[in-house]
């Protein structure tokens, strides 16, 4: 990356590195190594295939490199069945500090987070609990923030995790890792109404016979991107991701998921439902990656976008990289307006156009967010 690209980060240089985050000097060598790799890769732009719909380099060009206030609060959890650590966990386990780049070594934002992570939470769920783990992340004011969250789920555990992103006026570069050990099952709920330029990288490592059910509700108030990378590291593991995107007027939402089938007998399902108003842009990229030695894989991709205005736009790019025949895979994409025949039918039963459209939209969203989902209460009133 050339020097002109670094001007926006007035503290991003090796000489002043420790002065920026001197409280974390015990990880200074790790941070310097991460920063050196970040400089080689740079900030993503549309020239990067993975980022073809989001020009982050241009989006954050005028944001100063100064820390904005960010809080991570863990609440409503059964603290007898989990353990919470912070930066000390990585100081004592330095080999895990670089685990994200062992799975994904070409993503500049991961290296940037590893260079300047300023807020750490490490949650280890030891036992099954009926009480959900709620993680509330809220940012205030301008500037940048680099939260890092690691969630370890021990063998044989079942748990619900709910994470909420709120606030901010600058740039949030968030890194979340979810390590699910054998025979464990996680229901993961994500709600995003960030007003910052929000970029979140989610990495999951799935052990033998583990399961991840991920439901995302995104109502961004600015430009938002969620990129999910699932590594099926144990046989018979599975992941299902369902995402609802309803950006506010004039905003943007970018969703990417990469399912890497490393072991056999694994299943991945990805679906997205978008409801797009005027001057809204939404993107969906999904990649199924199945190597030659991997057998009996099952994978699905499904995207449906409803355009409520002629000035709304949707980008969809489903991909499959499959190197053997022992698979069952399918994908589908539908982009368009609400079905006029269905609206006419509801009109003929006495409903006006607005009521008919509301019923149809509610039907689409209810495919992913049921009445008993913890995300139901966060839906805009017209979609409940």
């Amino acid at each position: 990356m050339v020097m002109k690209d670094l001007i926006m980060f007035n503290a991003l240089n090796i000489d002043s590195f420790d002065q920026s985050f001197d409280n974390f000097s015990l990880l200074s060598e790790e941070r310097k190594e991460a920063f050196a790799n970040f400089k080689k890769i740079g900030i993503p732009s549309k020239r990067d295939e993975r980022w073809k719909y989001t020009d982050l380099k241009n989006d954050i060009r005028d944001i100063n490199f100064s820390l904005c206030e960010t809080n991570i609060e863990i609440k409503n959890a059964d603290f007898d069945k989990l353990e919470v650590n912070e930066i000390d966990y990585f100081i004592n386990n330095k080999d895990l500090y670089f685990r994200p780049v062992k799975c994904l070594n070409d993503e500049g934002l991961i290296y940037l987070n590893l260079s300047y992570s300023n807020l750490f939470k490490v949650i280890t769920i030891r036992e099954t609990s009926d009480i959900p783990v709620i993680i509330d992340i809220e940012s205030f004011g301008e500037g940048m923030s680099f939260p890092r969250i690691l969630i370890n789920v021990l063998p044989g555990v079942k748990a619900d995790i709910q994470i909420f992103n709120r606030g901010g006026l600058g740039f949030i570069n968030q890194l979340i890792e979810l390590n699910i050990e054998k025979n464990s099952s996680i229901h993961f709920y994500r709600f995003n109404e960030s007003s910052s330029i929000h970029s979140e990288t989610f990495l999951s490592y799935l052990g033998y016979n583990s399961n991840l059910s991920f439901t995302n509700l995104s109502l961004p108030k600015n430009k938002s991107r969620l990129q999910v990378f699932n590594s099926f590291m144990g046989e018979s593991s599975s992941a299902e991701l369902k995402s609802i995107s309803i950006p506010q007027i004039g905003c943007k939402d970018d969703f990417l998921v990469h399912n890497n089938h490393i072991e056999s007998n694994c299943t991945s399902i990805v679906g997205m439902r978008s409801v797009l108003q005027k001057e809204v842009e939404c993107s969906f990229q999904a990649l199924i990656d199945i190597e030659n030695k991997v057998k009996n894989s099952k994978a699905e991709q499904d995207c449906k976008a409803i355009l409520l205005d002629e000035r709304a736009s949707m980008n969809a790019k489903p991909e499959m990289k499959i190197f053997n025949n022992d698979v069952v895979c399918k994908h589908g994409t539908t982009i368009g307006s609400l079905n006029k025949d269905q609206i006419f039918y509801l009109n003929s039963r006495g409903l006006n156009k607005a009521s008919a459209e509301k019923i149809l939209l509610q039907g689409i969203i209810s495919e992913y967010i049921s009445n008993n989902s913890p995300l139901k209460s966060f839906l805009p009133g017209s979609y409940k």
Side-chain angles (χ1 to χ4, degrees):
M1 184 166 60
V2 297
M3 185 57 66
K4 67 179 182 180
D5 294 324
L6 292 176
I7 294 176
M8 53 183 283
F9 292 122
N10 55 25
L12 281 183
N13 62 78
I14 296 297
D15 294 335
S16 63
F17 190 92
D18 291 335
Q19 298 175 17
S20 299
F21 296 94
D22 53 6
N23 291 332
F24 304 139
S25 58
L26 290 175
L27 288 171
S28 61
E29 292 305 314
E30 287 75 15
R31 291 172 177 272
K32 287 179 180 178
E33 181 181 342
F35 182 66
N37 283 289
F38 164 70
K39 287 199 297 182
K40 294 176 184 177
I41 298 173
I43 301 167
S45 69
K46 289 188 175 182
R47 290 183 298 177
D48 304 295
E49 185 63 24
R50 195 183 293 140
W51 287 79
K52 66 180 300 178
Y53 300 118
T54 298
D55 189 356
L56 187 67
K57 181 184 291 187
N58 184 64
D59 290 341
I60 66 174
R61 186 172 298 277
D62 296 326
I63 300 176
N64 291 324
F65 184 76
S66 60
L67 289 181
C68 65
E69 180 184 354
T70 302
N71 296 328
I72 300 179
E73 183 180 2
I74 301 172
K75 54 188 180 182
N76 197 41
D78 189 344
F79 288 97
D80 291 334
K81 297 181 179 180
L82 57 84
E83 179 182 348
V84 180
N85 292 283
E86 297 187 1
I87 183 66
D88 56 304
Y89 179 89
F90 291 106
I91 292 174
N92 296 323
N93 300 275
K94 290 188 177 182
D95 58 317
L96 295 178
Y97 194 75
F98 281 115
R99 185 174 186 179
V101 295
K102 292 179 181 178
C103 293
L104 190 68
N105 62 8
D106 61 346
E107 179 54 67
L109 281 192
I110 292 182
Y111 283 110
L112 181 59
N113 184 282
L114 298 182
S115 301
Y116 284 96
S117 297
N118 62 306
L119 196 58
F120 295 84
K121 290 292 180 185
V122 179
I123 303 167
T124 301
I125 305 177
R126 300 190 300 260
E127 300 177 46
T128 297
S129 175
D130 294 330
I131 302 174
V133 179
I134 297 179
I135 306 170
D136 204 338
I137 307 172
E138 188 167 10
S139 297
F140 307 90
E142 300 178 354
M144 299 187 178
S145 185
F146 306 92
R148 182 175 180 183
I149 298 172
L150 168 61
I151 304 172
N152 293 314
V153 183
L154 298 190
V157 169
K158 295 182 179 180
D160 285 9
I161 301 169
Q162 302 172 19
I163 189 164
F164 303 92
N165 296 314
R166 314 171 195 269
L169 297 174
F171 171 52
I172 308 299
N173 175 11
Q174 189 162 293
L175 175 60
I176 297 179
E177 295 172 89
L178 178 59
N179 179 36
I180 309 178
E181 297 192 24
K182 64 180 182 179
N183 299 320
S184 291
S185 181
I186 294 297
H187 285 88
F188 193 96
Y189 301 92
R190 176 185 184 265
F191 174 62
N192 174 46
E193 61 171 1
S194 178
S195 51
S196 65
I197 296 175
H198 187 98
S199 180
E200 182 172 333
T201 302
F202 179 94
L203 302 167
S204 78
Y205 318 110
L206 293 115
Y208 171 78
N209 197 38
S210 63
N211 173 259
L212 169 63
S213 175
F214 186 120
T215 306
N216 172 51
L217 173 59
S218 187
L219 312 175
K221 300 177 180 178
N222 200 325
K223 296 178 179 179
S224 177
R225 176 179 169 91
L226 171 64
Q227 50 181 13
V228 177
F229 301 89
N230 294 317
S231 297
F232 297 83
M233 308 179 76
E235 287 194 13
S236 303
S237 55
S238 62
E240 182 175 17
L241 280 79
K242 297 179 178 180
S243 183
I244 295 285
S245 177
I246 313 175
Q248 296 198 13
I249 293 176
C251 297
K252 182 176 181 178
D253 206 9
D254 191 356
F255 178 61
L256 174 145
V257 58
H258 181 170
N259 285 317
N260 188 9
H261 289 239
I262 300 171
E263 294 293 340
S264 299
N265 302 306
C266 295
T267 301
S268 64
I269 299 174
V270 180
M272 185 173 190
R273 300 291 181 264
S274 300
V275 181
L276 308 179
Q277 306 176 72
K278 65 180 180 180
E279 299 175 358
V280 160
E281 180 181 353
C282 191
S283 302
F284 171 78
Q285 297 183 80
L287 172 63
I288 300 169
D289 192 344
I290 303 176
E291 299 178 4
N292 182 54
K293 65 181 180 65
V294 177
K295 306 299 181 183
N296 194 30
S297 297
K298 297 179 181 178
E300 297 180 15
Q301 300 172 345
D302 180 36
C303 174
K304 181 183 292 184
I306 301 299
L307 308 181
L308 300 181
D309 190 276
E310 62 182 11
R311 289 166 290 179
S313 63
M314 178 72 194
N315 306 301
K317 185 190 174 194
E319 295 181 279
M320 295 183 178
K321 189 165 66 172
I322 301 171
F323 295 97
N324 69 74
N325 294 323
D326 191 5
V327 299
V328 177
C329 293
K330 62 181 180 179
H331 67 82
T333 300
T334 304
I335 301 174
S337 57
L338 289 170
N339 189 301
K340 293 182 180 180
D341 291 337
Q342 292 177 333
I343 293 175
F344 176 79
Y345 174 81
L346 292 173
N347 290 160
S348 69
R349 293 299 183 269
L351 295 176
N352 59 32
K353 181 180 179 181
S355 298
E357 290 179 346
K358 180 178 179 179
I359 288 176
L360 294 178
L361 291 173
Q362 288 174 336
I364 292 169
I365 291 172
S366 64
E367 295 177 21
Y368 287 0
I369 298 179
S370 62
N371 288 332
N372 58 0
S373 169
L375 298 175
K376 179 73 172 183
S377 62
F378 297 100
L379 284 168
S382 58
Y383 300 108
K384 291 183 180 179

